[in-house]
Structure formats: C-alpha cells, structure tokens
C-alpha cells in the first residue's frame, strides 16, 4: 500500500532544517519512489485549506490525492497544527488540530497517514514561539504573551490526543527535540523509509531564538516602530547580535519557573508513552 507521511512539526523543533534537507534531496527521494512537496508549494496551494479562507488550489490538492493514491508521499508542514499567533488570537497554541487534520486526511483521501511530531520542553518552546511571533506580528511584551500561555493550560498530551482524534487510524511517531541532534539519522531514516546516509547533507543550521542583547534592544524600540519597519529592525538585531558564546541566549523566565516547566514536560512525555494509544517514541 502507498505510504503517506505527514511531518507536522511542531514549530521550533528543527522543522525548517528538515524541510530544507528534503528539498535539497528531492531527486534522491524520488529515486526511492517518495514524492516530496516543497514548503512553498504547500503554503501557497494546500495549507490555506485548513484555515478555511478559500484560497487553496483545489486542482493542486486533487493532484496531491492522486499522487498519494499511486505511491509514497512526504508532506512536511508545521502550519497544519497552527501558528504562533494563535496563542494571542485564540488563547492557546494549536486549538484546532483535530478539525484541521481531518480536512487534510479527507482531502488527500488517505485513511491512515504516518504522522511525525517533535515535542519540546515547555519553557524553551514558549520562548522560541514568542520570538517567532515577533518575526511576523506587532510587538507585545513577553509577559503578556507568557500570561496567556500560563492561562491556556497548553500541554503536549492534549496535542497528541488531538492528533489522534483528527486521524484515528494513524501511527504517530514522536521524539523529544532535545535528542534531535544526536538522533537525527535515526529519525530521518524512519521518516523516509531508507538510510538517511544516502541524503546529501549541506550545512543548514537550525534557526535559533534571539540573544538577550538583541531582545533588549528590540524591546526598547518595539513600541515606537510599526509594521514592516519593526520586523526589519528585529532581523538586523538578530544578524548583528547572534545567539552564541559572545551573546548569551534570551532567557526571560526565572530558574524556578523553568524548572517547573521541565518537570511538567518530563511527566507529560511519560503520560503520552503510557496512556495515548498508537504512539511510538523514536528515541
């Protein structure tokens, strides 16, 4: 039977890195009879389907369904889950996973795609999502963003359960993002169905969050800049003050709260492994 693979992210878990790796190796994937859709194609013609704005390309989606019926297909698109701005707009990250995933499964006419999902420790995830939010949206204070996150009760157990609800017959494969660098080969090989050593490996770094000095400077300017101007300034600061040994990472949370999130994350991973049916941890 043809295999459809859905790599859903999550955001800030090396999704862009993985997508670029696959895009650079489309020829090799094709030689293994695995069709990969570039992210630009999906964002333009497919992803609008899950947001209900009627901007999807129905002919393109029909062709995707035909391709999936005839052979193996790989789709990597984190925005199927949602976007960073939904925390501010809707009060939670990924509030509509089940309904969106149902649309994907129905329109591709696939009963049980293999679903891949990387999870990230809560304190690192929310800070990275805040940085991602600032790349695309109007400036807000971190504490405003964080207050909404605290009230949302967001947790990965519910995310995985929602994925299961959206595609009940799927196999779901998950991994802890903290283990990605050491386990990339195993994860990617499992996803594509052959040895990842066959792929060309250009140097594409994972996009990190901002440095503390870049965020301090941006915070001072964010309230007086508007529109594209403030996003350009953030890009300039990120380039000139990159996170690293010289410029320490942006860390707005206290050690006590970070430790609490880390404990909660470990508990939730154990809960998913024990209590959510059809889920396998790759590493």
């Amino acid at each position: 039977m043809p295999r459809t693979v859905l790599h859903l992210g999550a955001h800030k878990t090396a999704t862009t890195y993985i997508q670029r790796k696959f895009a650079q190796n489309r020829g090799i994937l094709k030689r293994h009879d695995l069709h990969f859709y570039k992210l630009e194609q999906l964002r333009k013609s497919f992803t609008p389907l899950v947001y209900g704005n009627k901007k999807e390309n129905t002919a393109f989606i029909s062709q995707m369904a035909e391709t999936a019926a005839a052979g193996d297909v790989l789709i990597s698109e984190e925005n199927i889950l949602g976007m960073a701005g939904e925390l501010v707009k809707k009060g939670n990250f990924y509030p509509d996973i089940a309904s969106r995933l149902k649309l994907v499964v129905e329109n591709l006419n696939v009963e049980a795609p293999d679903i891949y999902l990387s999870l990230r420790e809560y304190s690192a995830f929310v800070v990275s999502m805040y940085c991602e939010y600032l790349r695309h949206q109007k400036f807000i204070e971190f504490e405003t963003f964080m207050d909404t996150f605290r009230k949302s009760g967001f947790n990965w157990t519910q995310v995985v359960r929602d994925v299961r609800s959206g595609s009940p017959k799927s196999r779901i494969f998950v991994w802890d993002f903290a283990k990605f660098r050491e386990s990339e080969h195993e994860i990617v090989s499992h996803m594509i169905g052959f040895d990842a050593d066959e792929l060309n490996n250009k140097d594409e770094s994972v996009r990190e969050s901002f440095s503390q000095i870049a965020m301090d400077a941006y915070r001072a300017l964010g309230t007086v800049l508007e529109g594209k101007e403030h996003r350009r300034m953030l890009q300039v600061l990120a380039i000139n003050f990159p996170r690293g040994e010289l410029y320490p990472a942006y860390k707005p949370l206290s050690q006590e709260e970070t430790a609490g999130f880390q404990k909660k994350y470990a508990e939730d991973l154990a809960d998913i492994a024990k209590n959510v049916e059809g889920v396998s941890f790759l590493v």
Side-chain angles (χ1 to χ4, degrees):
M1 292 291 293
R3 178 177 181 241
T4 297
V5 175
L6 292 180
H7 173 221
L8 298 180
H11 291 81
K12 312 313 297 177
T13 60
T15 50
T16 300
Y17 167 82
I18 293 171
Q19 287 155 359
R20 287 175 177 171
K21 188 183 190 78
F22 290 155
Q24 292 162 359
N25 287 278
R26 288 184 78 198
I28 294 174
L29 296 176
K30 188 174 182 179
R31 287 202 295 272
H32 283 269
D33 297 319
L34 180 59
H35 186 96
F36 173 71
Y37 288 94
K38 288 186 176 181
L39 188 62
E40 311 89 81
Q41 292 177 302
L42 297 175
R43 291 275 168 91
K44 179 181 178 181
S45 299
F46 178 74
T47 309
L49 170 74
V50 304
Y51 290 93
N53 55 21
K54 305 299 182 182
K55 294 182 179 180
E56 66 271 17
N57 184 327
T58 56
F60 179 80
I61 295 173
S62 294
Q63 182 59 54
M64 288 180 69
E66 290 178 13
T67 303
D72 295 346
V73 168
L74 171 57
I75 297 168
S76 177
E77 164 58 308
E78 65 272 35
N79 283 356
I80 291 173
L81 291 177
M83 291 188 281
E86 287 184 322
L87 179 69
V88 175
K89 294 178 181 178
K90 297 187 175 184
N92 206 346
F93 292 126
Y94 311 150
D96 303 310
I97 296 172
S99 59
R100 288 171 177 168
L101 192 51
K102 284 178 182 177
L103 282 172
V104 171
V105 171
E106 289 170 0
N107 280 270
L108 292 180
N109 196 28
V110 291
E111 186 176 30
D114 283 346
I115 295 175
Y116 289 79
L117 181 66
S118 179
L119 312 180
R120 189 170 184 179
E121 185 272 311
Y122 294 118
S123 64
F125 178 71
V126 70
V127 171
S128 293
M129 287 292 268
Y130 172 67
C131 295
E132 187 68 17
Y133 178 86
L134 293 182
R135 293 181 193 274
H136 306 285
Q137 305 293 335
K138 185 178 179 179
F139 174 79
I140 63 171
E141 294 283 358
F142 173 75
E143 196 55 38
T144 302
F145 193 85
M146 192 65 204
D147 277 346
T148 306
F149 180 76
R150 294 187 187 102
K151 293 173 184 176
S152 73
F154 176 85
N155 65 88
W156 291 119
T157 304
Q158 188 59 53
V159 168
V160 176
R161 290 189 185 279
D162 287 345
V163 170
R164 161 63 59 229
S165 177
S167 187
K169 296 184 179 181
S170 286
R171 298 184 300 177
I172 302 173
F173 301 99
V174 301
W175 64 94
D176 180 0
F177 173 63
K179 299 179 180 179
F180 178 72
R181 291 185 187 276
E182 64 189 55
S183 303
E184 177 186 345
H185 178 270
E186 180 180 350
I187 292 165
V188 173
S189 295
H190 197 283
M191 198 181 303
I192 61 180
F194 61 91
D195 193 336
D197 280 346
E198 294 187 39
L199 303 182
N200 298 317
N201 195 24
K202 293 184 180 179
D203 185 19
E204 291 284 358
S205 60
V206 177
R207 186 168 72 182
E208 300 283 3
S209 299
F210 301 120
S211 65
Q212 184 69 52
I213 190 172
M215 289 300 292
D216 288 344
Y218 179 64
R219 184 172 181 272
L221 295 168
T223 57
V224 297
L225 298 175
E226 296 183 359
K228 293 181 180 180
E229 187 180 28
H230 91 270
R231 290 192 287 274
R232 283 196 296 267
M233 176 56 68
L234 184 59
Q235 183 177 7
V236 169
L237 291 169
I239 292 171
N240 285 277
F241 301 100
R243 169 181 168 172
E245 185 176 347
L246 187 59
Y247 303 113
Y250 174 57
K251 292 185 177 180
L253 294 174
S254 69
Q255 291 184 347
E256 181 180 8
E257 187 163 24
T258 297
F261 278 128
Q262 291 171 342
K263 181 174 181 292
K264 171 64 174 169
Y265 180 63
E267 292 171 348
D268 287 350
L269 290 185
D271 183 36
I272 292 167
K274 182 178 179 180
N275 296 315
V276 184
E277 185 180 355
V279 174
S280 301
F281 277 78
L282 293 184
V283 292

Coordinates of all heavy atoms in Angstrom, one line a residue, residues 149-212:
F149 N -0.1 32.1 27.8 CA 0.4 30.7 27.8 C 0.1 30.1 29.1 O -0.4 28.9 29.1 CB 1.9 30.7 27.5 CG 2.4 29.3 27.5 CD1 2.2 28.5 26.4 CD2 3.2 28.8 28.5 CE1 2.7 27.2 26.4 CE2 3.7 27.5 28.5 CZ 3.5 26.7 27.4
R150 N 0.3 30.7 30.2 CA 0.0 30.1 31.5 C -1.4 29.8 31.7 O -1.8 28.7 32.2 CB 0.5 31.1 32.7 CG 2.0 31.3 32.8 CD 2.3 32.1 34.0 NE 3.7 32.5 34.0 CZ 4.2 33.7 33.7 NH1 3.3 34.7 33.4 NH2 5.5 34.0 33.8
K151 N -2.3 30.7 31.3 CA -3.7 30.5 31.4 C -4.3 29.5 30.5 O -5.3 28.8 30.7 CB -4.4 31.9 31.1 CG -4.2 32.9 32.2 CD -4.8 34.3 31.7 CE -4.5 35.4 32.7 NZ -5.0 36.7 32.3
S152 N -3.6 29.2 29.4 CA -4.1 28.3 28.3 C -4.1 26.8 28.8 O -4.8 26.0 28.3 CB -3.2 28.4 27.1 OG -1.9 27.8 27.2
G153 N -3.1 26.5 29.7 CA -3.0 25.1 30.1 C -2.5 24.2 29.0 O -2.6 23.0 29.0
F154 N -1.8 24.8 28.0 CA -1.2 24.1 26.9 C -0.4 22.9 27.4 O 0.5 23.1 28.3 CB -0.4 25.0 26.0 CG 0.3 24.3 24.9 CD1 -0.3 24.0 23.7 CD2 1.6 23.8 25.1 CE1 0.3 23.4 22.7 CE2 2.3 23.2 24.0 CZ 1.6 23.0 22.8
N155 N -0.5 21.7 26.8 CA 0.3 20.6 27.1 C 0.4 19.6 25.9 O -0.6 19.5 25.2 CB -0.2 19.9 28.4 CG -1.6 19.2 28.2 OD1 -1.6 18.1 27.8 ND2 -2.6 20.0 28.5
W156 N 1.5 18.9 25.8 CA 1.7 18.1 24.7 C 0.8 16.8 24.7 O 0.5 16.3 23.7 CB 3.2 17.6 24.6 CG 4.1 18.7 24.3 CD1 5.1 19.2 25.0 CD2 4.1 19.5 23.1 NE1 5.8 20.2 24.4 CE2 5.2 20.4 23.2 CE3 3.3 19.5 21.9 CZ2 5.5 21.3 22.2 CZ3 3.6 20.4 20.9 CH2 4.7 21.3 21.0
T157 N 0.4 16.4 25.9 CA -0.5 15.3 26.0 C -1.8 15.5 25.2 O -2.3 14.7 24.4 CB -0.9 14.9 27.4 OG1 0.3 14.7 28.2 CG2 -1.7 13.7 27.5
Q158 N -2.4 16.8 25.4 CA -3.6 17.1 24.7 C -3.3 17.3 23.2 O -4.1 16.9 22.3 CB -4.2 18.4 25.2 CG -5.6 18.7 24.7 CD -6.6 17.6 24.9 OE1 -6.7 17.2 26.1 NE2 -7.2 17.1 23.9
V159 N -2.2 17.8 22.8 CA -1.8 17.9 21.4 C -1.8 16.6 20.7 O -2.4 16.4 19.7 CB -0.5 18.6 21.2 CG1 0.0 18.5 19.8 CG2 -0.5 20.1 21.6
V160 N -1.1 15.6 21.3 CA -1.1 14.3 20.7 C -2.4 13.6 20.7 O -2.8 12.9 19.7 CB 0.0 13.4 21.5 CG1 0.0 12.0 21.0 CG2 1.4 14.0 21.4
R161 N -3.2 13.8 21.7 CA -4.6 13.3 21.7 C -5.4 13.9 20.6 O -6.2 13.2 20.0 CB -5.3 13.5 23.1 CG -4.7 12.7 24.2 CD -5.5 12.8 25.5 NE -4.9 12.0 26.6 CZ -5.0 10.7 26.8 NH1 -5.7 10.0 25.9 NH2 -4.4 10.2 27.8
D162 N -5.2 15.2 20.4 CA -6.0 15.9 19.3 C -5.5 15.4 17.9 O -6.3 15.2 17.0 CB -5.7 17.4 19.4 CG -6.5 18.0 20.5 OD1 -7.4 17.4 21.1 OD2 -6.2 19.2 20.9
V163 N -4.2 15.1 17.8 CA -3.7 14.5 16.5 C -4.4 13.1 16.4 O -4.8 12.8 15.3 CB -2.2 14.4 16.6 CG1 -1.7 13.5 15.4 CG2 -1.5 15.7 16.5
R164 N -4.4 12.3 17.4 CA -5.1 11.0 17.4 C -6.6 11.2 17.0 O -7.1 10.4 16.1 CB -4.9 10.3 18.7 CG -5.9 9.2 19.0 CD -5.7 8.0 18.1 NE -4.4 7.4 18.1 CZ -3.7 7.2 17.0 NH1 -4.2 7.4 15.8 NH2 -2.5 6.7 17.2
S165 N -7.2 12.2 17.5 CA -8.7 12.4 17.2 C -8.8 12.8 15.7 O -9.8 12.3 15.1 CB -9.2 13.5 18.1 OG -10.6 13.8 17.8
G166 N -7.9 13.6 15.2 CA -8.0 14.0 13.8 C -7.7 12.9 12.8 O -8.2 13.0 11.7
S167 N -6.9 11.9 13.2 CA -6.6 10.8 12.3 C -6.5 9.5 13.1 O -5.4 9.1 13.4 CB -5.3 11.1 11.6 OG -5.1 10.1 10.6
P168 N -7.7 9.0 13.5 CA -7.7 7.9 14.5 C -6.9 6.6 14.1 O -6.5 5.9 15.0 CB -9.2 7.6 14.6 CG -9.9 8.8 14.1 CD -9.0 9.4 13.1
K169 N -6.8 6.4 12.8 CA -6.1 5.1 12.4 C -4.6 5.3 12.1 O -3.9 4.3 11.8 CB -6.8 4.5 11.2 CG -8.3 4.1 11.4 CD -8.9 3.5 10.2 CE -10.3 3.0 10.5 NZ -10.9 2.4 9.3
S170 N -4.1 6.5 12.3 CA -2.7 6.8 12.0 C -1.8 6.2 13.1 O -2.1 6.1 14.3 CB -2.5 8.3 11.9 OG -3.0 8.8 10.7
R171 N -0.6 5.8 12.6 CA 0.5 5.6 13.6 C 1.2 7.0 13.8 O 1.4 7.7 12.9 CB 1.5 4.6 13.0 CG 1.0 3.2 12.7 CD 2.1 2.3 12.2 NE 2.7 2.8 11.0 CZ 3.7 2.2 10.4 NH1 4.2 1.1 10.9 NH2 4.2 2.6 9.2
I172 N 1.4 7.3 15.1 CA 2.0 8.5 15.5 C 3.4 8.3 16.0 O 3.6 7.5 17.0 CB 1.1 9.3 16.5 CG1 -0.3 9.5 15.9 CG2 1.8 10.6 16.9 CD1 -1.3 10.1 17.0
F173 N 4.4 8.9 15.4 CA 5.8 8.8 15.9 C 6.2 10.1 16.5 O 6.1 11.2 15.8 CB 6.7 8.4 14.7 CG 6.2 7.1 14.1 CD1 5.5 7.0 12.9 CD2 6.6 5.9 14.7 CE1 5.1 5.8 12.4 CE2 6.2 4.6 14.1 CZ 5.4 4.6 13.0
V174 N 6.7 10.1 17.7 CA 7.2 11.4 18.3 C 8.6 11.2 18.8 O 9.1 10.1 19.0 CB 6.2 11.7 19.5 CG1 4.8 11.9 19.0 CG2 6.3 10.7 20.6
W175 N 9.2 12.4 19.1 CA 10.5 12.4 19.7 C 10.7 13.7 20.4 O 10.1 14.7 20.2 CB 11.7 12.2 18.7 CG 11.8 13.3 17.6 CD1 12.6 14.4 17.7 CD2 11.1 13.4 16.4 NE1 12.4 15.1 16.5 CE2 11.5 14.5 15.7 CE3 10.1 12.5 15.8 CZ2 11.0 14.9 14.5 CZ3 9.6 12.9 14.5 CH2 10.1 14.1 13.9
D176 N 11.6 13.7 21.4 CA 11.9 14.9 22.2 C 13.0 15.7 21.4 O 14.0 15.2 21.0 CB 12.5 14.4 23.5 CG 12.9 15.6 24.4 OD1 12.8 16.8 24.0 OD2 13.5 15.3 25.5
F177 N 12.7 16.9 21.1 CA 13.5 17.8 20.3 C 14.9 17.8 20.9 O 15.9 18.0 20.2 CB 12.9 19.2 20.2 CG 13.9 20.2 19.6 CD1 14.3 20.0 18.3 CD2 14.3 21.3 20.3 CE1 15.1 21.0 17.7 CE2 15.2 22.2 19.7 CZ 15.6 22.1 18.4
A178 N 15.1 17.8 22.2 CA 16.4 17.8 22.9 C 17.3 16.7 22.4 O 18.5 16.8 22.5 CB 16.3 17.7 24.4
K179 N 16.7 15.6 21.8 CA 17.5 14.5 21.4 C 17.7 14.5 19.8 O 18.4 13.6 19.3 CB 16.8 13.2 21.7 CG 16.7 13.0 23.2 CD 16.0 11.7 23.6 CE 15.8 11.5 25.1 NZ 15.1 10.2 25.4
F180 N 17.3 15.6 19.2 CA 17.3 15.6 17.7 C 18.7 15.6 17.2 O 19.1 14.8 16.2 CB 16.6 16.8 17.1 CG 16.6 16.8 15.6 CD1 15.9 15.9 14.9 CD2 17.4 17.8 15.0 CE1 16.0 16.0 13.5 CE2 17.5 17.8 13.6 CZ 16.7 16.9 12.8
R181 N 19.6 16.4 17.7 CA 21.0 16.5 17.1 C 21.7 15.2 17.2 O 22.4 14.8 16.2 CB 21.8 17.6 17.9 CG 21.3 19.0 17.6 CD 22.2 20.0 18.3 NE 21.7 21.3 18.2 CZ 21.8 22.2 17.2 NH1 22.5 21.7 16.1 NH2 21.3 23.4 17.2
E182 N 21.5 14.4 18.3 CA 22.2 13.1 18.4 C 21.5 12.0 17.7 O 22.1 11.0 17.4 CB 22.4 12.8 19.9 CG 21.1 12.5 20.6 CD 21.2 12.4 22.1 OE1 21.8 13.3 22.7 OE2 20.8 11.4 22.7
S183 N 20.2 12.2 17.4 CA 19.4 11.1 16.8 C 18.8 11.5 15.4 O 17.9 10.8 15.0 CB 18.3 10.8 17.8 OG 18.8 10.4 19.0
E184 N 19.4 12.5 14.8 CA 18.8 12.9 13.5 C 18.8 11.8 12.5 O 17.8 11.6 11.8 CB 19.7 14.1 13.0 CG 19.2 14.5 11.6 CD 20.1 15.6 11.0 OE1 20.9 16.2 11.7 OE2 20.0 15.8 9.7
H185 N 19.9 11.0 12.4 CA 20.0 10.0 11.4 C 18.8 9.0 11.6 O 18.1 8.6 10.6 CB 21.3 9.3 11.5 CG 21.4 8.1 10.5 ND1 21.1 6.8 10.9 CD2 21.9 8.1 9.2 CE1 21.3 6.0 9.8 NE2 21.8 6.8 8.8
E186 N 18.6 8.5 12.8 CA 17.6 7.6 13.1 C 16.2 8.1 12.8 O 15.3 7.4 12.2 CB 17.6 7.2 14.6 CG 16.6 6.2 15.0 CD 16.7 5.8 16.5 OE1 17.7 6.2 17.1 OE2 15.8 5.1 17.0
I187 N 15.9 9.4 13.2 CA 14.6 10.0 13.0 C 14.3 10.1 11.5 O 13.3 9.8 11.0 CB 14.6 11.3 13.7 CG1 14.6 11.1 15.2 CG2 13.3 12.1 13.3 CD1 14.9 12.4 16.0
V188 N 15.3 10.7 10.8 CA 15.1 11.0 9.3 C 15.0 9.7 8.6 O 14.1 9.5 7.7 CB 16.2 11.9 8.8 CG1 16.1 12.0 7.3 CG2 16.1 13.3 9.4
S189 N 15.8 8.7 8.9 CA 15.7 7.4 8.2 C 14.3 6.8 8.4 O 13.7 6.2 7.5 CB 16.8 6.5 8.8 OG 18.1 6.9 8.5
H190 N 13.8 6.9 9.6 CA 12.5 6.3 9.9 C 11.4 7.0 9.1 O 10.5 6.4 8.5 CB 12.2 6.4 11.4 CG 11.1 5.5 11.9 ND1 9.7 5.8 11.6 CD2 11.1 4.3 12.5 CE1 9.0 4.9 12.2 NE2 9.8 4.0 12.7
M191 N 11.6 8.3 9.0 CA 10.6 9.1 8.2 C 10.5 8.8 6.8 O 9.5 8.6 6.1 CB 10.8 10.6 8.5 CG 9.6 11.5 8.2 SD 10.0 13.2 8.4 CE 10.6 13.3 10.1
I192 N 11.7 8.7 6.1 CA 11.8 8.5 4.7 C 11.7 7.0 4.3 O 11.5 6.7 3.1 CB 13.0 9.2 4.1 CG1 14.3 8.6 4.7 CG2 12.9 10.7 4.3 CD1 15.6 9.2 4.1
G193 N 12.0 6.1 5.2 CA 11.9 4.7 4.9 C 13.2 4.1 4.3 O 13.1 2.9 3.8
F194 N 14.3 4.8 4.3 CA 15.6 4.2 3.9 C 16.7 5.0 4.6 O 16.4 6.0 5.3 CB 15.7 4.3 2.3 CG 15.7 5.7 1.7 CD1 16.9 6.4 1.6 CD2 14.5 6.3 1.3 CE1 16.9 7.7 1.0 CE2 14.5 7.5 0.8 CZ 15.7 8.3 0.6
D195 N 17.9 4.5 4.4 CA 19.0 5.1 5.2 C 19.3 6.5 4.8 O 19.6 6.9 3.7 CB 20.3 4.2 4.9 CG 21.4 4.5 5.9 OD1 21.4 5.6 6.5 OD2 22.3 3.6 6.0
A196 N 19.2 7.4 5.8 CA 19.4 8.8 5.6 C 20.8 9.2 5.2 O 21.1 10.3 4.7 CB 19.0 9.6 6.9
D197 N 21.8 8.2 5.3 CA 23.1 8.5 4.9 C 23.2 8.7 3.4 O 24.2 9.3 2.8 CB 24.0 7.3 5.2 CG 24.5 7.4 6.7 OD1 24.3 8.4 7.3 OD2 25.0 6.3 7.2
E198 N 22.1 8.3 2.6 CA 22.1 8.5 1.2 C 21.8 10.0 0.8 O 22.1 10.4 -0.3 CB 21.0 7.6 0.6 CG 21.3 6.1 0.6 CD 20.3 5.3 -0.2 OE1 19.9 5.8 -1.3 OE2 19.9 4.2 0.3
L199 N 21.3 10.7 1.8 CA 21.0 12.1 1.5 C 22.2 13.0 1.6 O 23.1 12.8 2.4 CB 19.9 12.6 2.5 CG 18.6 11.9 2.6 CD1 17.7 12.5 3.6 CD2 17.9 11.8 1.3
N200 N 22.3 14.0 0.7 CA 23.3 15.0 0.8 C 23.0 15.9 2.0 O 21.9 16.2 2.2 CB 23.3 15.8 -0.5 CG 23.7 15.0 -1.7 OD1 24.6 14.2 -1.7 ND2 22.9 15.2 -2.8
N201 N 24.1 16.2 2.7 CA 23.9 17.0 3.9 C 24.6 18.3 3.9 O 25.7 18.5 4.4 CB 24.4 16.1 5.1 CG 23.9 16.7 6.4 OD1 22.9 17.3 6.5 ND2 24.7 16.4 7.5
K202 N 24.0 19.3 3.2 CA 24.5 20.6 3.2 C 24.4 21.2 4.6 O 23.6 20.9 5.4 CB 23.8 21.5 2.2 CG 24.0 21.1 0.8 CD 23.3 22.0 -0.2 CE 23.5 21.6 -1.6 NZ 22.9 22.5 -2.6
D203 N 25.3 22.2 4.9 CA 25.3 22.8 6.2 C 24.2 23.8 6.4 O 24.3 25.0 6.0 CB 26.7 23.5 6.4 CG 26.8 24.1 7.8 OD1 26.1 23.6 8.7 OD2 27.6 25.0 8.0
E204 N 23.1 23.3 6.9 CA 21.9 24.2 7.1 C 21.6 24.2 8.6 O 21.1 23.2 9.2 CB 20.7 23.7 6.4 CG 20.8 23.8 4.9 CD 20.6 25.3 4.4 OE1 20.3 26.1 5.3 OE2 20.7 25.5 3.2
S205 N 22.0 25.2 9.3 CA 21.8 25.3 10.8 C 20.4 25.4 11.2 O 19.6 26.0 10.4 CB 22.7 26.4 11.4 OG 22.2 27.6 10.8
V206 N 20.1 24.9 12.4 CA 18.7 25.1 12.9 C 18.6 26.6 13.3 O 19.5 27.2 14.0 CB 18.5 24.2 14.2 CG1 17.2 24.5 14.8 CG2 18.7 22.8 13.8
R207 N 17.5 27.3 13.0 CA 17.3 28.7 13.3 C 17.0 28.8 14.8 O 16.1 28.3 15.3 CB 16.1 29.3 12.5 CG 16.0 30.8 12.8 CD 15.1 31.4 11.8 NE 13.7 31.1 12.0 CZ 12.7 31.5 11.3 NH1 12.9 32.2 10.2 NH2 11.4 31.1 11.6
E208 N 17.9 29.5 15.5 CA 17.8 29.6 17.0 C 17.0 30.8 17.4 O 16.7 31.6 16.6 CB 19.3 29.7 17.6 CG 20.2 28.6 17.3 CD 19.9 27.4 18.1 OE1 18.9 27.4 18.9 OE2 20.7 26.4 18.0
S209 N 16.6 30.8 18.7 CA 16.0 32.0 19.2 C 17.0 33.2 19.3 O 18.2 33.0 19.1 CB 15.4 31.7 20.6 OG 14.4 30.7 20.4
F210 N 16.5 34.3 19.7 CA 17.4 35.5 19.8 C 18.3 35.5 21.0 O 18.1 34.9 22.0 CB 16.5 36.8 19.7 CG 15.6 36.8 18.5 CD1 14.2 36.9 18.7 CD2 16.1 36.8 17.3 CE1 13.4 36.9 17.6 CE2 15.3 36.9 16.1 CZ 13.9 37.0 16.3
S211 N 19.3 36.4 20.9 CA 20.2 36.7 22.0 C 19.5 37.6 23.0 O 18.6 38.4 22.6 CB 21.5 37.2 21.6 OG 21.3 38.5 21.0
Q212 N 20.0 37.7 24.2 CA 19.4 38.6 25.2 C 19.6 40.1 24.8 O 18.7 40.9 24.9 CB 20.0 38.4 26.6 CG 19.5 39.2 27.7 CD 18.0 38.8 28.1 OE1 17.8 37.6 28.3 NE2 17.1 39.8 28.1

